[in-house]
Amino acid sequence: MDEHFVWVTTRRIKPGALEDFERAWRPSSHPHGMLRAFAYWSEDGQEVTGVSFWDSRQACDSWRASDAEKQRRVAMAPYVVEEREGFYRGGELSLSSV
């Protein structure tokens, strides 16, 4: 199994603030070491989960400590009610037919 380094953040958004949140949420530049990123929205638009894949834990930590990320979090703050986040290691599961 190929190992991946994954950062997952789930944010509950204030009602009606999804468009403003999305503008603040997108980074202004591609973070060094980020390989891929995905975003998932709840049907009611009040919860957003971001999943990003990194080449190392150090690359993710470096981005999270950067001024660009700090500015992005300040810009998002007026639209966020709650935030949960975590760093994980793992890989893709192989599904076989039974």
Side-chain angles (χ1 to χ4, degrees), residues 53-71:
F53 292 81
W54 297 82
D55 62 12
S56 68
R57 171 78 191 230
Q58 293 77 17
C60 182
D61 288 346
S62 178
W63 166 252
R64 295 196 68 247
S66 72
D67 287 339
E69 173 63 356
K70 289 175 188 170
Q71 291 170 4

Side-chain angles (χ1 to χ4, degrees), residues 3 6 11 14-15 20 22 30 32 55 60-62 84 88 97:
E3 185 174 64
V6 182
R11 294 178 176 93
K14 292 180 181 178
D20 293 327
E22 285 179 338
H30 184 85
H32 177 73
D55 62 12
C60 182
D61 288 346
S62 178
R84 296 178 313 277
Y88 304 90
S97 57

Side-chain angles (χ1 to χ4, degrees), residues 33-80:
M34 181 188 281
L35 303 173
R36 298 181 79 181
F38 297 87
Y40 303 97
W41 293 263
S42 62
E43 286 189 41
D44 64 5
Q46 292 186 5
E47 190 169 274
V48 178
T49 297
V51 180
S52 56
F53 292 81
W54 297 82
D55 62 12
S56 68
R57 171 78 191 230
Q58 293 77 17
C60 182
D61 288 346
S62 178
W63 166 252
R64 295 196 68 247
S66 72
D67 287 339
E69 173 63 356
K70 289 175 188 170
Q71 291 170 4
R72 190 177 78 94
R73 287 178 175 266
V74 167
M76 288 186 289
Y79 315 112
V80 176

